[in-house]
Every structure is written in C-alpha cells, then in structure tokens.
Amino acid sequence: MNPPPSAGGTEAAALRLERLCARTGLSPAQLGVVRIYDRAHEDPREFGPLRGLDVLVKDLNRVAGEVTTFGSVGHDVVADAHDTAVLRLLEEGARLVGTSVTAEFGATVYTEPAYGPGPVNPVDRRMTTGGSSSGAAVAVARGVVDVAHASDGGGSIRVPAAAVGLPGLKPAHTVVGGGLPDPAAQGVIARDLDLTARALGLPRSSAPTRPLRVGHTNRPFHTTTAVDPTVANATAAAASLLVTHPAVSGVRPVAAPYPVEHFGVFSRIMAARCRDLPDPATPMPRWLRQRGRELTGAEVTAAAEAVAVLPEQVLAAWDRVPDGADSPSDPVDVVVTPMLACAPPHIGAFSARSAPDAGGDPAEDFHAQTAWTPWATLWNLTGWAALSVPLVTPDAAPGRWPVSVHLGAVSDRVSPAELLDLARHLQRSIAGMVDADTSVLDAVTVDGPGDLDAVLGESTGASSGASSGARR
C-alpha cells in the first residue's frame, strides 16, 4: 500500500524555485525542475538517512497521483502507485517535493528536449549539462534542493554531476539476476561529498583500515579516441596525489581490461532494453529502439553471457602479472580514470549529429557520446561502486569547469564509503595546493566548452555502429 501524501506542503521548495527564477531569469525547466507537487509525499513513520530533506524525483519514475513524462512530449502518465525506486526513497525518509528534468527515456548522456529549453549549466551556460539525470544535477547545483534522486545505467548520475561540478556516486548494484541483465542503479546527487554519504546512509568518514593499491589509466576503454590533455594530466596528477593518503600503498598503471571491440557486444544489452520504447520519440531513441529490435535472440543471449562473466574478465586483466615482471603485482582495489574525455561541449554538439534535417546519423551521435564517456559503463556492467569527483569545487574558479576524476571500485575490495574518503583526500590536497599557488587552478580547470571534435579526431571508433540503451 502506498503511504498517503504528507500533510506538509511544498511551499519552501516552490519559494526557492521562484526566487531562483527571478534572480537568474531562467525557467523552472532550465533550473532542472519539471514541476513542484501540490503536496509533498513522505512517510512520517520513517526515520532513514533522507529524513527531513526535500528531494526531487527523476522524471522516469512514478509517484502515485503525480504525472510522469519520461522526459518526452506526449507521454504524460498519472501513476496509480509508487514504483520501487520511489518506495525506497520514502522508506529512507525522503520528502518528495517535485520532479526533475531527464533526458528523453533516459537514453542519452545529454539533455536537449525537442519541445523546450533544457537545464542550463551553472558553470557555463554554453556547456551541456550531460544526462540523463541532468535536472537532478542542475537543481542541486543551483540550490533548489540539496539532494535529488537520480539513476545511472551508463553514467547517468556521474556524467551530469561532473558536468556541473558536483560529486556523483553510483552505488554497487546487482546486474545479473533472472532475465535480461540490468546495468541501472538507483541513487542520488547531493551538493557535496558529506551529504552524499548521509543521503546514501554511509558513514561520514570511513578511512580504509588496510593498505589500498590504486590503478590508473587515461586510455579509453570503449573507443580509440583521444582525451583532452588538461583532463589527462589532471587525472594522472590526482592518481599520484592519492599516494599521500595514509591508506594507499602505491599506484600503478593498468591496461584496458578488454579489447575496445567488446563494447559492441556489451552494448547489445542496453539496446535490448530499448526495444519497447513507445512513440512518439525523437531520432536518437528511435534509433536505439530499432537497434534493439534487430537483435536476434541468440545475440541477446550471447551478450548476456558476456556481461555475466565480465567481472571475472576484468579482475583477470587487472590482477595479471605485467609483461616482463618476475612476480605477480599487487591486485588493485580502485582504478582512477578521467570521468569525461573533455569538458562539457557546447549544447548541440551531440544532438546535431543525429538531426534528420541536417542529414544526421544517430550512430555518429552515439559514437560521440561514447567517446565523451568511454569509462563509466564498465562499472554499470559489473555492478561495482563508482564515484566521480571534481578536483575543486566550482566556486574555486567561477566560470571554469572543474576536471572530475572517476574512482571505480574493483569488485568489493573498496567500499563506497572508502571511495568517498579517497575523494575527500583529493579535494583537501588540491585545495591546499591552490591556497599556496592559485596558478594550480589552471591545471585542474578548463576555460570554455570542451572540443568534442578534437576528442573524436579522425578515429572511426569500434563502437560507432554499436547500440546503446535507455537509462544511461
């Protein structure tokens, strides 16, 4: 049974939104909000980690009596009951006050609605806000709420959080159960690392109690494209700085865990999950749906089997004896990569590639998305915990994008709370360096939108013809 809406109102959230609209000149949608509910939904019997917090629900999820649009025009649905993710939020004590903007059907790592303006990046309004939980990220970054519900099927928490300079934690989750593997995890985007820990019920401080070994690479896993030099250099520096954490015993390079061509196999699972997307839909979701419907049963079965053995495959790659070594290396506990291959590019950098009036090809759009985020999906397919963290907060260098790095747990060797502790250490270390020499900011921030064309270069990429899927 669904608990009834709270007798409490949503006036505080509505007032914050109204004042932000007046101050910025932006609409609610541009601030990441689809709507504020007439009444809050909460269960006064629950005292979980979200107790007392106003929370926006991603517009892919159903709240009883409220409209869900799935980020798409023509799909307004009034829910009869709360879905599983919403029930979990209520059990954790959340006060649900409204709905946040999402990419259409959660299918892309950018959010550019065909029917109106999308969220505006508070770092630089020229930059994309990523996707698909872009409304959650922008609403938190703008101060509409301190915590927003989000989901992550290929980077959808971590990408938009990084795009606006916030941390984003994808919790560990189960991928393989009965039926089609599910790469999506439910979580939140919160204003800082400490509130992220609180909202997910994690200890505020949980320093590792055993020596940790860190792996690092800047090499993309899922394309053969480039990485912006500032991003690559900042990520390498961050990995090196982790050696100053008292629990880190060392850092060593790691190789890509599988050939880049394998991503085409893994992406079939995501495509299969898109095959029932409804009409109307814009070109990118339509293309994803068609790719899913073209898969044979044998192809889907083979892809599911590949995902099932992926954790074992990655562990074998990262724990093996390096070429030329006489003895086994220490297994790595966490792997550090860039979060994004370049700063968020201009709005339209992705969608223009699939625009039908310009002769666009959705396959090229998908390839560009993969090239921008060529690491995150591994942690969706394995189910391991992962965290994106900006090396400095946006207020340290207003108008410049703070580089975010990705800390990926290797199996269960490091906990989400320990990932957060490593991230705090990074932010404190770099803040100290900036205090001593402000020119450090030039090494960990980027001025202006990223150059997606430079990232793509002349490479065709192994995944340019691969299929993606909903809830990235």
Side-chain angles (χ1 to χ4, degrees):
M1 175 180 292
N2 292 319
S6 167
T10 56
E11 291 83 0
L15 181 59
R16 287 193 298 272
L17 180 61
E18 180 182 351
R19 288 175 173 172
L20 282 165
C21 288
R23 188 169 75 241
T24 63
L26 300 174
S27 68
Q30 290 173 312
L31 293 170
V33 180
V34 178
R35 67 184 60 82
I36 297 294
Y37 302 146
D38 292 333
R39 293 190 297 168
H41 295 259
E42 68 179 333
D43 190 335
R45 302 166 296 181
E46 300 292 348
F47 288 86
L50 294 173
R51 177 74 174 182
L53 292 173
D54 287 349
V55 176
L56 294 176
V57 178
K58 188 173 179 178
D59 194 24
L60 295 179
N61 294 87
R62 297 173 186 259
V63 179
E66 306 291 355
V67 173
T68 303
T69 72
F70 310 98
S72 180
V73 64
H75 292 288
D76 291 6
V77 174
V78 177
D80 295 327
H82 299 313
D83 67 21
T84 302
V86 170
L87 285 172
R88 178 68 181 271
L89 291 169
L90 292 169
E91 290 169 358
E92 292 170 347
R95 181 167 56 243
L96 308 181
V97 297
T99 304
S100 67
V101 175
T102 183
E104 186 177 18
F105 302 118
T108 54
V109 295
Y110 60 88
T111 306
E112 296 173 14
Y115 53 87
V120 174
N121 197 321
V123 173
D124 184 330
R125 65 186 303 145
R126 297 171 295 173
M127 294 178 174
T128 180
T129 55
S132 62
S133 303
S134 53
V138 170
V140 170
R142 296 279 187 178
V144 179
V145 290
D146 289 333
V147 177
H149 163 252
S151 56
D152 190 318
S156 282
I157 290 174
R158 293 159 288 163
V159 170
V164 304
L166 294 174
L169 175 63
K170 181 200 75 66
H173 68 289
T174 300
V175 177
V176 178
L180 201 63
D182 186 357
Q186 301 294 324
V188 300
I189 295 176
R191 68 169 184 263
D192 55 33
L193 292 167
D194 286 346
L195 190 56
T196 299
R198 175 195 159 180
L200 293 172
L202 303 173
R204 183 183 179 278
S205 180
S206 181
T209 58
R210 66 197 183 288
L212 297 180
R213 187 79 173 180
V214 174
H216 163 250
T217 184
N218 281 323
R219 178 182 173 183
F221 297 159
H222 300 145
T223 61
T224 56
T225 50
V227 179
D228 177 86
T230 298
V231 170
N233 291 336
T235 304
S240 298
L241 271 175
L242 284 174
V243 177
T244 64
H245 190 290
V248 173
S249 63
V251 176
R252 68 170 176 89
V254 294
Y258 40 73
V260 67
E261 293 83 3
H262 280 28
F263 184 65
V265 177
F266 301 143
S267 66
R268 291 173 186 166
I269 292 299
M270 303 178 201
R273 299 188 69 85
C274 283
R275 57 192 171 195
D276 295 325
L277 292 180
D279 282 319
T282 54
M284 192 69 210
R286 286 203 306 269
W287 180 81
L288 297 171
R289 178 180 63 196
Q290 184 61 31
R291 300 289 76 74
R293 290 177 178 177
E294 290 172 352
L295 293 171
T296 66
E299 287 175 322
V300 174
T301 297
E305 291 172 350
V307 170
V309 301
L310 180 60
E312 179 182 347
Q313 179 182 5
V314 175
L315 289 173
W318 284 343
D319 291 351
R320 73 163 60 102
V321 180
D323 292 341
D326 295 326
S327 60
S329 60
D330 293 332
V332 292
D333 302 292
V334 57
V335 168
V336 181
T337 70
M339 182 61 229
L340 304 171
C342 67
H346 281 91
I347 294 169
F350 299 106
S351 60
R353 298 172 189 274
S354 57
D357 55 355
D361 181 355
E364 292 304 317
D365 183 348
F366 174 68
H367 173 52
Q369 294 178 63
T370 306
W372 189 45
T373 63
W375 300 278
T377 307
L378 181 149
W379 279 268
N380 294 92
L381 295 169
T382 59
W384 301 340
L387 170 69
S388 66
V389 56
L391 296 179
V392 294
T393 56
D395 58 2
R400 296 177 64 92
W401 177 71
V403 174
S404 281
V405 299
H406 188 268
L407 307 181
V410 179
S411 189
D412 58 357
R413 296 173 183 174
V414 61
S415 70
E418 290 170 327
L419 290 179
L420 290 167
D421 188 74
L422 294 174
R424 291 188 192 94
H425 179 80
L426 273 180
Q427 287 192 335
R428 286 194 300 264
S429 298
I430 294 175
M433 295 169 64
V434 171
D435 288 342
D437 181 358
T438 56
S439 68
V440 170
L441 287 171
D442 292 335
V444 294
T445 63
V446 177
D447 186 20
D451 188 345
L452 187 61
D453 289 336
V455 168
L456 293 169
E458 298 298 322
S459 171
T460 58
S463 64
S464 60
S467 300
S468 177
R471 299 178 75 134
R472 292 183 63 90

